Amino acid sequence: MMAYCVHCGVELAPSEKKCPLCNTKVYDPSVPEERAAVTPYPPYEPIAPERISKKSVLIVLTLIFMLPVMLSCICDFSINKRIVWAGYVAGGLLQVYALIFMSILLAGKNLRCAPMWKIGVNTFTLLGYLCYIVWVTDGQWFWRFAVPVVLIGALFIVAAILLRKFGGLTRLMTTAAVLAEAGTYCLIIELTINCAFLSRGALIWSVYPLATGWLLAVLMAVIDRSPALKERLERKFFI
Amino acid sequence: MGKKELRWLRLDNAAKIYPAARRRNWNNMFRISATLCDPIDPVILQQAVEKVLPRFPSIGVRLRRGLFWYYLEETEQIPAVQQDIWCPLSRMRFSDIRKCAIRVLYYENRIAVELYHALTDGNGGLIFLKTLVAEYIRQRYGESVPCTDGVLDCAQHPDPEELEDSFVKYCGNIKASRREPSAYRIRGLREEDGFLHITTGILKADAVYEMAHRYGATVTEFLTAAMIMSILELQKKDHPYRWNRRSVKVLVPVNLRRLFPSKSLRNFVLFYTTGIDPALGDYTLEEVVRIVHHQAGLEITPKRMQARITTNVRTEQIALVKVLPLFIKNIAMKMVYNLVGESKACLTISNLGRIQLPEEMHRYVNRCDFVLGAQVQQHNNCAVLTYGNTLYINFTRDIKEAKLEYMFFKYLRKLGLHILLESNQR
């Protein structure tokens, strides 16, 4: 006796407990449920997916990054008899290394605060790198310029992530918030430059990104509030 | 005593892309099986494999890496037959292929062979399976099976023509353009553990043949048209606006042995795409069948196929391509494959046709099946064959959603065809 799927109308082999097309459970009153039919393939046995240990990936990553750092240090030292430019190379590579390292370390951990950890570590390494540059160049701008700009930048990124994750905003509104933040950040950078290096109050360039960012943000907020307009624009400008 | 010199073969023209296009958990494989009337005896099956495999020097091989190209090398050891697994075709890794590129499996009454596509095509695989099953029947039941209908004589030496790269042999002077617009892509949620869903639709062959002839088409054309109609329905749901819809096209392999007098047991197929542009309007099945039929008529001619063979062979024969080291070729071929390899069609429908066996084997063989693996970007594939009065349509998919199978079988049901389904669902 064969059963039929009540939904699709196809006949099902005795081995089928549910319809393979629509997942409707097969119920045939004339066939006892416990009767086991021969399945066309051996029964399913889950296989644990192969996992590459994070430790070994991190070791490989570290070695890959160490190679250019070592080579540039050796090269710099053999030419100049001291470290001149290799420090910049190493510092720049360290930024990339920290970014990838944290991503691998936190991957698959399902931590809600994972992005904060990434931003925290990268802010710290970036400040370290800038501190090194200030020290090498004998500059006086670390506390007056580098620290406020980097910390405020990190705060803006954290704010954008929090808005996206917990603010319940749509993608369009999140983009609007990011644009407004970016415009404001440009303003803060210019103000910090003025305070740290120029001792003047006039704003020259930051008003342009500030105005553009905020105008676009307001435009997106307006579009987001009107579903009909949003749908019309999506239809016209989809990529 | 000196060590035996192992036979080696260059990859044929069609096979060259497969090793380059591989992924960590994906290789282009297919499977052909025969279901007998009794449970399979693995000891006898192993003996049959040991007798049959030396007759097929292009199949009992492993893939090896040269400086400029991959090549096939005869395996020193005959592969051991294995118990079939719940998820066919999905767990043959590249490292396995480099040891032996063929697997012989058994489960209950079924003997299955899984072959790496770089070795042979469906036709070559079918001849291998027929010869293996014939040998198994001889040993198990003492039946005298003649070497006809695609069963080869294991006592004979392989004919050099069976090992030739027929693409090179039948290459001409005129090239054909490969340019084609991209097709709609069926998307879905990929199975994380690589599970390959197989759904088999079993139909009465005479009913399908009769319906196909009523529409003035062959079975492959009719099934292709039904598939196009099902994909159209699917796309309608995804893209309600017609101008937003992409071409619906199906890749159909053509057995070139029917056009050229080749005896090769290696790859000798070319694909052509057939389909419609949904942006132009709504289509009826009659229209689609007519389009598919005429497109097939235009494509499947010796001259057209020869021009396409020439394009492929000439590319391989460019001096610069030849001298590039293999790892550079791999990168380039993988890039080309990723960009255009699977984007020209929604899926493949491969029809092996009606399986002919010697009369003495019919008593023991109840069923035959042909299964294609899923591609990297094409999540669905479809393989068809007819044995006796039964037509088997094997759908494979590596995504969770069975939407295409649902649409397709529902469509055939609406046309009045009776369908029996079975699957490997978990």
Side-chain angles (χ1 to χ4, degrees), chain A residues 4 11 13 16 18 40 44, chain B residues 110 418-419 421 423 425-426:
Chain A
Y4 281 81
E11 190 179 346
E16 302 306 302
K18 54 184 180 173
Y44 172 62
Chain B
R110 184 176 61 212
H418 178 268
I419 300 157
L421 281 188
S423 70
Q425 61 181 317
R426 32 190 173 172

Side-chain angles (χ1 to χ4, degrees), chain A residues 113-127:
Chain A
C113 56
M116 307 306 156
W117 273 105
K118 277 188 212 170
I119 294 163
V121 171
N122 282 295
T123 307
F124 183 73
T125 53
L126 183 59
L127 281 173

Side-chain angles (χ1 to χ4, degrees), chain B residues 10-17 68-70 165-169 171 175 178 266 308-324 329 333:
Chain B
R10 291 161 190 261
L11 289 186
D12 60 66
N13 178 263
K16 288 201 165 77
I17 192 76
F68 298 106
W69 296 103
Y70 283 103
D165 180 357
S166 294
F167 289 106
V168 177
K169 187 174 176 183
C171 166
K175 293 201 275 184
R178 287 197 189 117
R266 305 179 68 191
R308 294 190 51 207
I309 291 172
T310 309
T311 314
N312 295 343
V313 174
R314 288 284 177 261
T315 312
E316 166 197 321
Q317 288 173 342
I318 296 169
L320 181 68
V321 172
K322 281 186 172 180
V323 297
L324 279 177
K329 280 195 196 101
M333 284 201 278

Side-chain angles (χ1 to χ4, degrees), chain B residues 56 107 219 280 400:
Chain B
F56 291 84
Y107 171 66
V219 170
L280 301 179
K400 292 181 197 287

Side-chain angles (χ1 to χ4, degrees), chain A residues 138-160:
Chain A
D138 204 17
Q140 302 296 318
W141 46 272
F142 182 70
W143 291 107
R144 282 187 292 153
F145 176 73
V147 172
V149 166
V150 171
L151 288 182
I152 292 169
L155 273 177
F156 274 155
I157 296 171
V158 169

Side-chain angles (χ1 to χ4, degrees), chain A residues 2 4 7-13 16 18 20-21 38-45 47 50 231 235 238, chain B residues 84-86 88 91 93 107 110 193 241 243-244 402 405-406 413 418-426:
Chain A
M2 297 280 193
Y4 281 81
H7 188 247
C8 307
V10 291
E11 190 179 346
L12 299 170
E16 302 306 302
K18 54 184 180 173
L21 303 181
V38 177
T39 52
Y41 294 92
Y44 172 62
E45 288 165 24
I47 296 169
E50 275 181 56
E231 203 263 328
R235 197 189 302 174
F238 78 92
Chain B
D84 208 348
I85 55 166
W86 47 269
R91 293 187 62 77
R93 305 230 169 80
Y107 171 66
R110 184 176 61 212
D193 55 358
Y241 302 108
W243 39 263
N244 200 3
E405 290 97 312
Y406 177 75
R413 277 281 305 134
H418 178 268
I419 300 157
L420 168 65
L421 281 188
E422 63 176 37
S423 70
N424 69 337
Q425 61 181 317
R426 32 190 173 172

Side-chain angles (χ1 to χ4, degrees), chain B residues 138-151:
Chain B
R138 279 186 205 116
Q139 294 196 17
R140 172 87 192 255
Y141 303 105
E143 185 72 57
S144 163
V145 181
C147 296
T148 56
D149 298 295
V151 175

